[in-house]
Amino acid sequence: MENTTWVANNTGRTDFDLVGLFSQSKHPTLLCVVIFVVFLMALSGNTILILLIHCDIHLHNPMYFFITQLSLMDVMSISVTVPKMLMNQVMGVNRISAPECGMQMFLYVTLVGSEVFLLAAMAYDRYVAICHPLRYPVLMNHRVCLLLVSSSWFLGSVDGFMLTPVTMTFPFCRSREIHHFFCEVPAVTKLSCSDTSLYETLMYLCCVLMLLIPVTIILSSYSFILFTIHRMNSAEGWKKAFATCSSHMMVVILFYGAAIYTYMLPTSYHTPEKDMIVSVFYTILTPVLNPLIYSLRNKDVTRALKKMLNVGSVLQETLK
């Protein structure tokens, strides 16, 4: 009898309701417009940064190769979550099918996991560039860069393949309302009517391991960098090294801070409202901030941007 009831409850609906940001807002239309503008800014900012690095030969080095990959991940991650949320608001629906939910979850987890490891690779790159400048071309050759980037993508996809199938195969015989604006693993897991304590413990350990290794690499790299900068006699070299590293540290603090809150803090610290605010921070705001951080604080990028704008104005004058 219990099995029959479970089947009836579990197969009655195959989709989910996303109870997202707009239901919490007093001005949902205004919020929708703001998020749409931020989405366009993130897409245009990261795309311009990728094009600048691709077109300017002076930016063809390991650091900018990693920044290109970071921008690509940001474009993909914001495209996985925001368009669906905006489309649901415009059409007046808040449903997402189980296959769509699973695909969104897999892509998002993969991209977040990949970015976690990529930021560690970027920290190691800065360590080699500042602490071992003479050996930098050898230690960070094109093959090593490709290996670090492909490893980041691979480890992120492993995380996606581990968490998504298990989460989506849980029986959902309670409410189908996901108190989030996209299918995030913790939010979907809460809907299961089975005991998920073991899975949540394993997920916690997995996330701790995934964050602990990159954080250790980043902290070690920047400890050596700070020690090297302290010993520098050149004020110009000190300023250049500090400017480069401070940009990366801003990105790391923004991204890792939100990731640690979401996946490592106990559930007693979480509420649906807090989770959504934090997710907005690293899902929507971080992709739009990254190109600003790496362009406004970087003379090479601003020079390449001015050069591109000058070429555009010359072409416009020629056409006239």
Side-chain angles (χ1 to χ4, degrees):
M1 181 65 181
E2 288 182 1
N3 289 337
T4 307
T5 305
W6 179 87
V7 171
N9 290 337
N10 195 56
T11 57
R13 282 185 60 185
T14 57
D15 54 5
F16 299 93
D17 293 325
L18 292 170
V19 184
L21 291 173
F22 301 114
S23 62
Q24 309 292 325
S25 174
K26 294 180 180 178
H27 307 284
T29 305
L30 178 61
L31 181 61
C32 183
V33 172
V34 170
I35 292 175
F36 180 65
V37 171
V38 171
F39 173 67
L40 292 180
M41 287 173 62
L43 285 185
S44 57
N46 284 288
T47 303
I48 290 169
L49 190 56
I50 292 170
L51 290 174
L52 279 177
I53 294 170
H54 178 73
C55 296
D56 195 316
I57 193 169
H58 297 99
L59 301 180
H60 290 183
N61 61 50
M63 183 178 80
Y64 293 108
F65 175 64
F66 290 129
I67 290 175
T68 301
Q69 294 297 310
L70 181 66
S71 291
L72 179 62
M73 289 176 185
D74 283 340
V75 168
M76 292 177 68
S77 64
I78 198 169
S79 299
V80 164
T81 56
V82 173
K84 176 65 178 174
M85 176 177 62
L86 294 176
M87 189 169 64
N88 281 358
Q89 175 64 16
V90 171
M91 296 180 67
V93 296
N94 59 356
R95 290 192 177 181
I96 184 169
S97 67
E100 282 181 309
C101 186
M103 183 57 68
Q104 189 182 62
M105 184 185 295
F106 169 75
L107 291 173
Y108 183 78
V109 171
T110 296
L111 290 164
V112 169
S114 300
E115 193 162 334
V116 163
F117 289 105
L118 182 67
L119 290 172
M122 292 173 73
Y124 173 73
D125 170 68
R126 291 300 83 206
Y127 157 72
V128 177
I130 294 170
C131 300
H132 304 283
L134 298 178
R135 298 175 62 195
Y136 183 70
V138 177
L139 294 175
M140 292 301 296
N141 58 54
H142 188 60
R143 185 177 178 182
V144 172
C145 292
L146 285 176
L147 179 63
L148 289 172
V149 168
S150 57
S151 298
S152 299
W153 282 102
F154 173 74
L155 291 170
S157 63
V158 167
D159 194 32
F161 278 117
M162 283 173 55
L163 297 180
T164 307
V166 178
T167 304
M168 294 306 296
T169 51
F170 278 127
F172 301 109
C173 48
R174 294 176 185 164
S175 170
R176 288 265 174 172
E177 290 187 348
I178 301 174
H179 289 273
H180 218 300
F181 58 91
F182 69 99
C183 290
E184 194 172 34
V185 174
V188 176
T189 305
K190 289 177 183 177
L191 303 183
S192 176
C193 54
S194 61
D195 183 13
T196 60
S197 56
L198 177 60
Y199 173 63
E200 288 176 11
T201 303
L202 292 174
M203 181 173 64
Y204 172 79
L205 293 174
C206 175
C207 292
V208 167
L209 188 64
M210 274 193 68
L211 290 170
L212 187 62
I213 294 172
V215 165
T216 303
I217 294 171
I218 291 169
L219 291 178
S220 301
S221 297
Y222 279 100
S223 297
F224 286 115
I225 287 169
L226 289 173
F227 181 70
T228 303
I229 290 175
H230 180 70
R231 292 166 55 192
M232 280 184 179
N233 295 321
S234 169
E236 184 64 28
W238 189 92
K239 284 173 66 177
K240 186 176 180 180
F242 183 78
T244 305
C245 295
S246 61
S247 298
H248 184 246
M249 280 306 298
M250 286 172 68
V251 174
V252 167
I253 291 168
L254 287 172
F255 187 81
Y256 276 82
I260 288 170
Y261 170 85
T262 302
Y263 293 101
M264 288 181 63
L265 287 184
T267 52
S268 57
Y269 288 88
H270 290 261
T271 63
E273 292 76 19
K274 285 182 182 178
D275 290 350
M276 278 193 280
I277 291 170
V278 173
S279 294
V280 165
F281 202 81
Y282 73 91
T283 304
I284 300 174
L285 294 183
T286 302
V288 81
L289 289 175
N290 283 351
L292 294 176
I293 291 170
Y294 282 113
S295 60
L296 295 179
R297 296 177 58 85
N298 192 302
K299 291 181 180 178
D300 293 332
V301 175
T302 52
R303 178 192 52 77
L305 182 59
K306 288 176 183 177
K307 184 179 175 182
M308 179 183 279
L309 293 174
N310 288 335
V311 170
S313 61
V314 169
L315 286 173
Q316 197 174 30
E317 290 294 328
T318 306
L319 290 172
K320 286 181 179 179

